Amino acid sequence: MVFSMMSAIPRGPSTPPLTTTPSPATSLPVRTIPGSHGWPLLGPLSDRLDYFWFQGPKTFFKSRIEKNKSTVFRTNVPPTFPFFLGVNPNVIAVLDVKSFSHLFDMDLVEKSNVLVGDFMPSVSFTGDMRVCAYLDTSETKHTQVKNFAVDILKRSSATWVPTLTSKLDTMWGSIDAELAKSGSAGVLSPLQNFLFSFFALTLLGADVSKSPEIASSGAIMLDKWLAIQLAPTVNIPVLQPLVEIFLHSFSYPFFLVKGDYQKLVDFVEKEASEVLSRGVTEFQLTEKEAVHNLLFILGFNAFGGFSIFLPVLLGNLGDEKNAGIQEKLRNEVREKAGTNPDNLSFEKIKEMELVQSFVYESLRLSPPVPSQFARARKDFQLSSHDSVYDIKKGELLCGFQPLVMVDPKVFDNPEDFVVERFTQEKGKELLNYLYWSNGPQTGMPTAANKQCAGKDIVTLTASLFVAYVLQRYDSISVSSGSVVAAKKAS
C-alpha cells in the first residue's frame, strides 16, 4: 500500500528507532558467520526441498538457528535448480530483531531487484519496465514514483472512510445473504471483489461498474497475474511432489496472463485518466510508467496485501478461542463510535487503542509479506543481540518475519496472541520493533527509504474494518475462511 504523511491521519509514537549498527564501544564479539551454502547445485536443491516440502519455511529457519546456535547464518532460499540458472540462492539469514533491522538501513543496503530475493519475475509482467518495488532509493525514478504514490493517497484521504464503509456494506450484505441461505459463507470471494472495487476507486479514481467485464473478473485477473509471477517463491504445503515439479522448478511465461493484463491496462488508461495526467505533468513520468506502476500498486501492494491480511485479521477476530477478545474490542468500538458506520473516522480509530493493538498483534504474528531481502551496499559490520558479523558488499541478506517477530529478547510471551501488547507506554515502545512494512511501525516512509508508503493507511484501514464488523454484529464466528455464525447488532 501507499500513503502520505497527511495531517488527517494519526501518527505513531515518536520513540527512537532501534539502533542498527554497533557503537564503537560495543563489547559484542566479532564472529564468523556460521552455516554453509553446501555443494553447488546439490546444496541449494537440498535446502529448497527442506524449505518447501520436508520442513516448511518456519521450521527450515528455526532448525538452522538451533543447528548453528545463531540467528545469523548462511543458507540457501528458493527458487533454485534446475531452471533458475541466473538466480543465486545464497543468502545470509538475519532472524532476530536487531540483525533484521539492518535490512532497512539504506546507508548499508540497497534494494535493486530484490523484492523476492535474487529471483525477479520477468518485466513482461509489468509493461517491460522495472516498477517502483524493484528500484533502489538511489534511482531517480524511485523518487518520482514514490512521490506520485504518496500524492494519490493524500488526495483520496477525504473520501477514504465513507467509500470504505459503503463498499463494506455491499460485501457484508452478500455474506449475510449467503449465510442465511447455506449456514456458512466463504469470505475470500466477496472480500476480493470489495478490495478491487474499493482500491480502484480510491487509488485510481476508477469506477469498475463502468466496465462490466472488469467489475466481474478484475479480481480474478489480478489473482492470476500475481500467482503466475510468484509461484516459484510461494510455499504451497499440499500435493507434493507435484508442487515441486510443476510450480517451483521453473518460471511461467507472461503470455498466460497477457490478455487479462492488457484488459487491466486498458481499464486504467480509460478510467484513471486524471490520475495518469498528474503522474505525467507533476511527477515527470511517462504515461506508460504511470499506468504500470499504478497497476502494481493496485494489484500487488493493495489488493494482494489485503487479500492475505484481512482473512487473517477476521480469523483472529472470529476464532471461538478469542471470544473474550472479541467482546473487549466490541465494547471499545461501541463506546467510541456506537453502532453506526457513519460515526467511523480516522480520528475515532485513533481513540481505539485496543483495536489498533489487535491489528498490530495480527501483523506481528502473520505479516502479509513474510520474507524481506536486501543486498549489502558496502562492507559493514552487522550486529545481532550477542555477536557482530562482517558483511561483504554484494551479499544478500534475508529475514523471515514470522521468526523475527517472536524474538524473546524483545517480546514477552512471543508466541502468544496478546491483544493488549501494543497498548500503554510499553506497548507503544514495542512499535519500534514491528517491521511488517519494510521498516519499523514508528518509521516515516520517504523517497529516501523503501518503507511501504502506505504503512499508516494499512493499519488504519484494517482497524476500520474491525470496527465496522464489531458495529454490525453482536457476535461473529469464523472458521477455515468462512463465516459460520453471525448475530446482527440489535
Side-chain angles (χ1 to χ4, degrees):
M1 282 291 300
V2 288
F3 189 53
S4 63
M5 301 298 109
M6 50 198 174
S7 60
I9 306 302
R11 302 295 308 136
S14 56
T15 45
L18 183 72
T19 301
T20 59
T21 52
S23 66
T26 183
S27 58
L28 295 177
V30 178
R31 181 183 178 190
T32 300
I33 300 173
S36 169
H37 301 306
W39 292 97
L41 299 182
L42 295 179
L45 179 59
S46 175
D47 283 346
R48 169 192 144 187
L49 293 176
D50 280 346
Y51 186 94
F52 279 142
W53 189 351
F54 302 126
Q55 295 179 320
K58 192 167 186 178
T59 301
F60 173 89
F61 286 115
K62 191 173 183 178
S63 66
R64 283 156 178 77
I65 290 176
E66 295 167 354
K67 177 181 178 180
N68 293 297
K69 296 180 172 55
S70 173
T71 53
V72 178
F73 55 86
R74 297 185 185 277
T75 189
N76 302 287
V77 294
T80 62
F81 180 81
F83 298 119
F84 294 96
L85 300 181
V87 176
N88 183 353
N90 300 166
V91 299
I92 299 170
V94 287
L95 299 175
D96 63 87
V97 164
K98 192 171 184 181
S99 63
F100 184 72
S101 68
H102 292 72
L103 295 177
F104 315 112
D105 186 334
M106 300 313 297
D107 289 332
L108 301 179
V109 300
E110 55 100 1
K111 298 271 192 169
S112 178
N113 300 339
V114 294
L115 179 65
V116 289
D118 196 58
F119 168 73
M120 179 180 171
S122 168
V123 292
S124 299
F125 288 97
T126 51
D128 296 317
M129 69 180 67
R130 294 164 63 236
V131 292
C132 188
Y134 295 107
L135 302 177
D136 181 56
T137 53
S138 62
E139 300 177 66
T140 301
K141 195 61 65 180
H142 177 270
T143 298
Q144 293 172 255
V145 177
K146 193 161 186 180
N147 287 339
F148 176 43
V150 164
D151 180 72
I152 290 168
L153 274 169
K154 182 177 181 179
R155 291 172 183 268
S156 68
S157 62
T159 59
W160 192 272
V161 177
T163 304
L164 179 73
T165 56
S166 174
K167 296 293 185 182
L168 284 174
D169 284 342
T170 302
M171 170 189 160
W172 285 102
S174 69
I175 290 175
D176 287 342
E178 182 63 25
L179 184 62
K181 177 182 176 182
S182 305
S184 68
V187 170
L188 187 59
S189 179
L191 175 68
Q192 289 201 318
N193 287 332
F194 147 70
L195 290 172
F196 181 67
S197 61
F198 171 68
F199 287 122
L201 195 57
T202 52
L203 301 181
L204 277 61
D207 185 349
V208 298
S209 67
K210 293 183 178 180
S211 174
E213 183 179 14
I214 293 297
S216 64
S217 303
I220 296 172
M221 292 176 181
L222 287 179
D223 279 334
K224 291 190 293 184
W225 175 73
L226 287 167
I228 205 166
Q229 291 181 76
L230 300 178
T233 69
V234 176
N235 182 45
I236 306 171
V238 294
L239 298 177
Q240 294 288 17
L242 297 180
V243 168
E244 286 311 299
I245 295 170
F246 294 108
L247 295 182
H248 291 156
S249 292
F250 50 85
S251 296
Y252 280 83
F254 171 61
F255 78 78
L256 294 173
V257 293
K258 181 178 180 180
D260 284 347
Y261 187 73
Q262 187 58 50
K263 290 175 183 177
L264 291 168
V265 169
D266 294 341
F267 172 71
V268 172
E269 289 177 342
K270 181 179 180 182
E271 302 298 340
S273 57
E274 182 180 342
V275 176
L276 294 176
S277 178
R278 291 204 309 272
V280 173
T281 59
E282 298 181 29
F283 299 95
Q284 292 72 56
L285 299 171
T286 66
E287 182 170 309
K288 182 179 179 181
E289 288 170 339
V291 167
H292 294 287
N293 275 284
L294 276 178
L295 265 177
F296 195 88
I297 291 167
L298 170 69
F300 192 102
N301 301 103
F303 175 84
F306 273 107
S307 290
I308 295 171
F309 181 55
L310 288 187
V312 169
L313 198 66
L314 191 59
N316 288 339
L317 183 67
D319 191 325
E320 290 184 358
K321 296 182 295 184
N322 294 341
I325 291 176
Q326 187 178 132
E327 183 179 4
K328 289 180 182 179
L329 294 170
R330 183 181 298 105
N331 290 340
E332 182 183 64
V333 169
R334 295 188 180 183
E335 178 187 343
K336 304 297 184 183
T339 58
N340 187 345
D342 291 343
N343 294 333
L344 292 176
S345 65
F346 290 131
E347 290 73 21
K348 288 292 184 184
I349 288 297
K350 185 179 179 181
E351 297 174 9
M352 300 179 192
E353 183 180 42
L354 194 62
V355 169
Q356 291 186 88
S357 180
F358 173 78
V359 170
Y360 293 141
E361 185 73 338
S362 296
L363 284 166
R364 181 182 74 87
L365 292 174
S366 303
V369 180
S371 297
Q372 298 285 349
F373 297 88
R375 195 176 298 281
R377 194 181 294 275
K378 60 184 179 182
D379 293 355
F380 70 92
Q381 287 194 314
L382 176 146
S383 57
S384 67
H385 291 304
D386 53 19
S387 300
V388 174
Y389 303 89
D390 289 320
I391 305 296
K392 300 300 183 184
K393 179 180 179 179
E395 290 187 308
L396 187 64
L397 308 179
C398 169
F400 185 68
Q401 290 188 85
L403 276 182
V404 175
M405 291 292 96
V406 294
D407 185 338
K409 294 185 182 295
V410 175
F411 300 104
D412 296 332
N413 303 313
E415 301 283 352
D416 296 339
F417 190 102
V418 181
V419 68
E420 300 93 352
R421 187 182 301 276
F422 293 98
T423 62
Q424 308 299 321
E425 287 305 309
K426 181 179 179 181
K428 291 174 182 176
E429 289 285 339
L430 286 177
L431 291 176
N432 284 307
Y433 314 117
L434 181 64
Y435 283 99
W436 70 272
S437 63
N438 215 5
Q441 183 62 32
T442 50
M444 179 177 291
T446 70
N449 63 37
K450 291 296 290 185
Q451 184 160 30
C452 170
K455 170 182 71 73
D456 294 308
I457 200 66
V458 168
T459 55
L460 288 166
T461 300
S463 297
L464 284 162
F465 180 87
V466 171
Y468 177 96
V469 171
L470 295 173
Q471 284 185 322
R472 187 180 182 99
Y473 300 104
D474 284 339
S475 64
I476 185 169
S477 297
V478 179
S479 177
S480 301
S482 294
V483 177
V484 295
K487 180 182 177 182
K488 294 286 288 291
S490 53

